[in-house]
Amino acid sequence: MADHMSSATQPPSAILPTYARADVSFARGEGCWLEATDGSRYLDFGAGIAVCCLGHGHPHLVNALIDQGRKLWHVSNLFRIPEAERLAQRIVDASFADYVFFTNSGAESLEGAIKTARKYHAAKGHPERFRLITFEGAFHGRTLATIAAGGNPKYIEGFGPKADGFDQAPFGDIEAVKALIGPQTAGVLVEPIQGEGGIRVPPASFLKALRALCDEHGLLLVLDEVQSGMGRTGKLFAHELMGVMPDILATAKGIGGGFPLGAFMTTREAGSGMVTGTHGTTYGGNPLAMACGNAVLDVVLAPGFLEEVAHKGTLLKQRLAALQDAHPKVIAEIRGEGMMLGLRTHTSNAEFAVAARAQRMLVIPAGDNVVRLLPPLIAGDEEFAEAIDRLGRACQQIEADLAAKGNGSAS
Ligand SMILES: *Cc1c(COP(=O)(O)O)cnc(C)c1O
């Protein structure tokens, strides 16, 4: 049980131990700061894994939640929900989509997106076209279909036969995608920027080339913007940066600002198979969730907000690049777009995250030896200065550890 080494020193818990949790708990949050139960304050550049896009305790979100909480929480999708119709229309007006379906999580959004793509072809008389081309290093969730789509053996093994219908290509390799297209292919499912995979940004032309391939072969382009969506990259959705429109898109994380909410969206054409009775959810889009989603959009779509995220993201990236120059033995690379940034380490990303936490700063490990910096989108100069300070001290600590181990003299 090497994965759970840390739990040996922690008091037992009745939570199923699928996580190796850090032994810290938080009592409250304000803006970009979290207060631990021992009173210490942490700078939060994880934002609950890109969820708390407006930070903690944002007054507009808190008020929206409380106001709606007093009125009505839940009614079911057997009835019209005006708050949901309003949020869907606002998302449609601001995006490529014609329709929105609200869910409770990223994985549920992906399931809906995958079903929509399959049903499109089935409704056109081609039920055999159910396969999606996906990519190495992808992460699409933890349900049976989404672990198969993600393709990570660590998540697949031991859970029975792998769900059929996913063919993997190396991320960014358009020739490999071409080679995988066959008579059963329904579409391509891709993160415009891989999140869990390590903030991997594909070559600039990749998404455009995928779009062209899809058009040529009658395939649907399905984007997973669960992490990159809702303003994270300085656009409402990351594909806007790449000048490409999808047919179907799944999002979640930031959309509820911390309230569990997701959505999948589709053009009229790609969604044409999803008629009455084909899909549903009990909780998805309930009035309480919709109040939070509408409140998030009030802020994210306010004039200038997204431009500001893009601008601040550039500033943060520059400061991180300077930090890399100062600590070349620790930091190998800075990458990403907007406030979706990755810091690739030479040493160990897990060790880096621990060192940052010792400086009371939260960052999130990802694949490819990267830690993710996903600050609340409201973070600014003050928080960036704090972050660079703390990350600098974390780098110094790692350098001191390297020197003590005698590995510091190699270069
Ligand atoms: C987090 C994430 C998911 C899964 O979301 P859950 O809410 O955990 O189900 C899917 N895709 C991407 C790109 C993600 O970052």
Side-chain angles (χ1 to χ4, degrees):
M1 300 293 281
D3 277 332
H4 302 130
M5 265 164 44
S6 58
S7 61
T9 58
Q10 291 176 26
S13 153
I15 305 284
L16 190 70
T18 61
Y19 277 92
R21 294 169 193 266
D23 192 11
V24 55
S25 311
F26 300 101
R28 56 178 55 81
E30 193 183 346
C32 300
W33 295 88
L34 282 168
E35 190 184 312
T37 45
D38 68 1
S40 52
R41 292 177 81 234
Y42 287 75
L43 181 62
D44 183 10
F45 270 38
I49 319 189
V51 166
C52 306
C53 60
L54 302 182
H56 304 282
H58 191 288
H60 185 63
L61 262 60
V62 172
N63 288 334
L65 181 80
I66 291 173
D67 286 350
Q68 188 60 45
R70 290 209 176 91
K71 283 193 278 191
L72 181 65
W73 292 18
H74 179 85
V75 292
S76 101
N77 286 304
L78 299 173
F79 307 97
R80 290 188 78 159
I81 300 175
E83 299 86 347
E85 291 181 19
R86 174 162 174 259
L87 182 55
Q89 189 60 52
R90 295 175 78 191
I91 292 172
V92 162
D93 290 345
S95 75
F96 75 97
D98 296 310
Y99 291 111
V100 182
F101 184 103
F102 294 109
T103 69
N104 312 285
S105 72
E108 190 192 355
S109 302
L110 261 301
E111 291 272 343
I114 294 164
K115 285 177 71 177
T116 302
R118 290 182 175 188
K119 193 74 168 180
Y120 168 80
H121 292 289
K124 299 251 181 239
H126 291 285
E128 78 284 0
R129 295 182 72 174
F130 72 99
R131 309 193 69 85
L132 290 172
I133 295 169
T134 61
F135 294 92
E136 292 168 14
F139 181 78
H140 298 300
R142 306 292 197 134
T143 61
L144 290 169
T146 56
I147 57 175
N152 184 340
K154 233 175 49 181
Y155 303 150
I156 293 171
E157 278 163 19
F159 295 109
K162 182 180 152 200
D164 194 14
F166 303 98
D167 302 306
Q168 273 203 324
F171 190 50
D173 186 342
I174 199 73
E175 292 307 318
V177 174
K178 278 183 199 164
L180 285 172
I181 296 173
Q184 296 188 327
T185 306
V188 176
L189 167 61
V190 63
E191 294 159 84
I193 298 173
Q194 287 190 343
E196 309 291 316
I199 313 295
R200 292 171 73 202
V201 184
S205 59
F206 182 57
L207 221 59
K208 274 201 168 136
L210 286 178
R211 176 74 271 175
L213 262 188
C214 285
D215 291 343
E216 185 186 334
H217 295 272
L219 308 177
L220 297 173
L221 181 61
V222 185
L223 296 185
D224 180 348
E225 294 227 33
V226 169
Q227 193 158 155
S228 59
M230 302 315 294
R232 182 53 47 194
T233 65
K235 295 282 185 188
L236 188 59
F237 294 105
H239 66 260
E240 299 167 37
L241 287 172
M242 301 161 185
V244 165
M245 292 292 191
D247 300 296
I248 299 168
L249 180 148
T251 192
K253 292 201 163 87
I255 191 174
F259 197 93
L261 175 62
F264 66 89
M265 303 146 56
T266 176
T267 62
R268 186 177 308 276
E269 173 65 9
S272 56
M274 299 299 272
V275 298
T276 303
T278 53
H279 195 59
T281 172
T282 298
Y283 292 122
N286 83 9
L288 201 52
M290 295 299 95
C292 295
N294 273 305
V296 167
L297 265 200
D298 290 342
V299 177
V300 169
L301 291 183
F305 183 87
L306 288 170
E307 289 81 355
E308 184 73 358
V309 170
H311 175 65
K312 292 187 299 188
T314 304
L315 291 181
L316 178 57
K317 201 173 176 182
Q318 284 165 355
R319 299 181 84 153
L320 289 166
L323 192 70
Q324 180 191 351
D325 290 342
H327 301 282
K329 284 184 185 166
V330 179
I331 304 175
E333 186 188 357
I334 303 296
R335 61 199 194 193
E337 293 287 345
M339 291 207 196
M340 183 176 184
L341 296 174
L343 180 161
R344 189 163 62 82
T345 64
H346 279 303
T347 51
S348 141
N349 60 343
E351 185 189 354
F352 190 96
V354 169
R357 200 161 68 239
Q359 302 301 329
R360 303 274 187 264
M361 176 167 175
L362 304 181
V363 297
I364 304 184
D368 204 19
N369 225 5
V370 162
V371 292
R372 279 173 282 178
L373 301 168
L374 306 164
L377 304 181
I378 56 164
D381 273 342
E382 209 176 303
E383 290 83 11
F384 293 169
E386 276 288 346
I388 296 298
D389 243 36
R390 286 163 197 245
L391 293 175
R393 290 202 297 273
C395 287
Q396 285 167 6
Q397 182 58 56
I398 292 168
E399 285 158 354
D401 291 348
L402 280 176
K405 277 189 232 157
N407 295 336
S409 54
S411 55

XYZ file of all heavy atoms in Angstrom, residues 49 104-110 139-143 146 191 193-196 224-228 252-253 261 372, ligand 1:
230
model
N -8.637 22.447 -7.764
C -8.406 21.941 -9.117
C -9.242 22.718 -10.136
O -10.142 22.181 -10.789
C -8.617 20.408 -9.243
C -8.047 19.672 -8.030
C -7.960 19.885 -10.541
C -8.002 18.155 -8.144
N -23.669 17.191 -13.169
C -23.116 17.439 -11.834
C -21.616 17.320 -11.763
O -21.042 17.517 -10.701
C -23.700 16.449 -10.827
C -25.189 16.368 -10.943
O -25.884 17.268 -10.500
N -25.685 15.313 -11.566
N -20.980 16.925 -12.846
C -19.533 16.692 -12.774
C -18.942 16.675 -14.175
O -19.673 16.649 -15.180
C -19.243 15.348 -12.106
O -19.594 14.288 -12.980
N -17.614 16.641 -14.205
C -16.917 16.560 -15.478
C -17.168 15.238 -16.172
O -17.497 15.193 -17.368
N -17.027 14.138 -15.428
C -17.198 12.823 -16.040
C -18.612 12.659 -16.604
O -18.793 12.112 -17.695
C -16.909 11.727 -15.017
N -19.597 13.166 -15.873
C -20.977 13.056 -16.364
C -21.158 13.898 -17.636
O -21.912 13.511 -18.544
C -21.964 13.500 -15.272
C -23.411 13.180 -15.624
C -24.429 13.854 -14.702
O -24.033 14.498 -13.717
O -25.628 13.753 -15.015
N -20.452 15.020 -17.703
C -20.513 15.846 -18.919
C -19.894 15.098 -20.091
O -20.422 15.131 -21.212
C -19.763 17.164 -18.697
O -20.311 17.876 -17.610
N -18.755 14.412 -19.820
C -18.100 13.639 -20.884
C -18.981 12.498 -21.355
O -19.076 12.229 -22.561
C -16.769 13.080 -20.358
C -15.499 13.841 -20.714
C -15.301 13.957 -22.214
C -15.499 15.228 -20.099
N -7.116 12.927 -19.828
C -7.915 12.575 -18.662
C -9.339 13.050 -18.912
O -9.568 14.223 -19.205
C -7.384 13.218 -17.379
C -8.189 12.835 -16.168
C -8.023 11.596 -15.570
C -9.135 13.704 -15.645
C -8.788 11.236 -14.462
C -9.905 13.339 -14.541
C -9.723 12.108 -13.945
N -10.295 12.106 -18.804
C -11.679 12.477 -19.069
C -12.618 12.132 -17.912
O -13.827 12.323 -18.033
C -12.162 11.808 -20.356
C -11.388 12.222 -21.576
N -11.322 13.527 -22.003
C -10.624 11.510 -22.448
C -10.564 13.601 -23.097
N -10.125 12.391 -23.380
N -12.076 11.595 -16.808
C -12.927 11.272 -15.667
C -12.727 9.852 -15.202
O -11.830 9.139 -15.678
N -13.570 9.415 -14.249
C -13.382 8.118 -13.578
C -14.530 7.147 -13.776
O -14.590 6.129 -13.097
C -13.204 8.339 -12.069
C -12.124 9.313 -11.710
C -10.739 8.794 -12.039
N -9.750 9.594 -11.311
C -8.731 9.072 -10.644
N -8.548 7.783 -10.622
N -7.892 9.865 -10.020
N -15.472 7.458 -14.644
C -16.534 6.490 -14.921
C -15.979 5.414 -15.854
O -14.879 5.553 -16.414
C -17.734 7.164 -15.608
O -17.289 7.705 -16.846
C -18.329 8.274 -14.741
N -15.268 6.859 -19.277
C -14.246 7.908 -19.346
C -12.856 7.392 -18.978
O -11.862 7.955 -19.440
C -14.620 9.148 -18.496
O -14.854 8.754 -17.143
C -15.853 9.828 -19.059
N -8.759 17.139 -25.336
C -8.603 18.344 -24.515
C -7.751 19.327 -25.325
O -6.647 18.973 -25.723
C -7.850 18.046 -23.217
C -8.546 17.129 -22.234
C -7.551 16.494 -21.264
O -7.207 17.133 -20.262
O -7.087 15.361 -21.518
N -6.067 21.735 -24.270
C -4.841 21.734 -23.483
C -5.020 20.642 -22.437
O -5.997 20.669 -21.682
C -4.614 23.089 -22.771
C -4.465 24.216 -23.802
C -3.385 23.026 -21.852
C -4.401 25.608 -23.190
N -4.120 19.658 -22.413
C -4.274 18.587 -21.426
C -3.987 19.128 -20.029
O -2.945 19.755 -19.802
C -3.340 17.423 -21.751
C -3.806 16.614 -22.961
C -3.032 15.319 -23.133
O -1.953 15.144 -22.565
N -3.578 14.413 -23.935
N -4.912 18.854 -19.110
C -4.764 19.331 -17.735
C -4.019 18.336 -16.860
O -2.839 18.534 -16.547
N -4.697 17.234 -16.500
C -4.074 16.221 -15.634
C -2.802 15.670 -16.267
O -1.875 15.265 -15.573
C -5.044 15.055 -15.373
C -6.420 15.443 -14.899
C -6.438 16.009 -13.501
O -5.766 15.448 -12.625
O -7.107 17.031 -13.291
N -13.031 18.242 -24.680
C -13.125 18.175 -23.225
C -12.506 19.453 -22.677
O -11.290 19.587 -22.616
C -12.405 16.933 -22.694
C -12.488 16.841 -21.164
O -12.889 17.842 -20.535
O -12.141 15.772 -20.622
N -13.389 20.391 -22.314
C -12.924 21.640 -21.696
C -13.392 21.714 -20.246
O -13.769 22.766 -19.741
C -13.412 22.847 -22.511
C -12.784 22.908 -23.896
C -12.263 24.305 -24.245
O -11.799 25.029 -23.339
O -12.334 24.642 -25.443
N -13.368 20.550 -19.594
C -13.744 20.514 -18.181
C -12.782 21.388 -17.364
O -13.201 22.120 -16.476
C -13.742 19.064 -17.658
C -13.863 19.033 -16.133
C -14.903 18.282 -18.286
N -11.499 21.328 -17.718
C -10.496 22.104 -16.976
C -10.165 23.429 -17.671
O -9.966 24.449 -17.023
C -9.221 21.265 -16.816
C -8.255 21.825 -15.808
C -7.292 20.785 -15.259
O -6.219 21.098 -14.809
N -7.670 19.520 -15.266
N -10.097 23.408 -19.000
C -9.637 24.594 -19.738
C -10.752 25.606 -19.991
O -10.480 26.710 -20.443
C -9.030 24.161 -21.081
O -9.985 23.461 -21.868
N -17.023 21.702 -16.962
C -17.444 21.528 -15.554
C -16.563 22.453 -14.705
O -16.558 23.654 -14.925
C -17.338 20.076 -15.099
N -15.802 21.872 -13.806
C -14.897 22.569 -12.881
C -15.298 24.033 -12.554
O -16.026 24.245 -11.611
C -13.459 22.450 -13.352
C -12.973 20.992 -13.229
C -11.469 20.824 -13.189
C -11.054 19.460 -12.672
N -10.966 18.414 -13.669
N -21.197 21.338 -10.539
C -21.970 21.624 -11.749
C -21.108 21.351 -12.969
O -19.902 21.625 -12.959
C -22.412 23.105 -11.744
C -23.133 23.622 -12.991
C -24.441 22.879 -13.218
C -23.403 25.130 -12.861
N 0.733 22.065 -11.428
C -0.163 23.026 -12.061
C -0.355 24.254 -11.177
O -0.506 24.130 -9.961
C -1.536 22.391 -12.282
C -1.612 21.521 -13.503
C -2.945 20.800 -13.554
N -2.981 19.664 -12.641
C -4.041 18.898 -12.461
N -5.168 19.174 -13.100
N -3.997 17.860 -11.643
C -11.428 17.003 -13.923
C -11.577 16.588 -15.323
C -12.546 15.635 -15.708
C -13.400 14.902 -14.718
O -14.191 15.755 -13.944
P -14.927 15.178 -12.640
O -15.763 16.327 -12.180
O -13.842 14.810 -11.671
O -15.717 14.016 -13.051
C -12.672 15.350 -17.053
N -11.892 15.953 -17.970
C -10.966 16.866 -17.636
C -10.150 17.517 -18.706
C -10.759 17.205 -16.300
O -9.828 18.093 -15.973
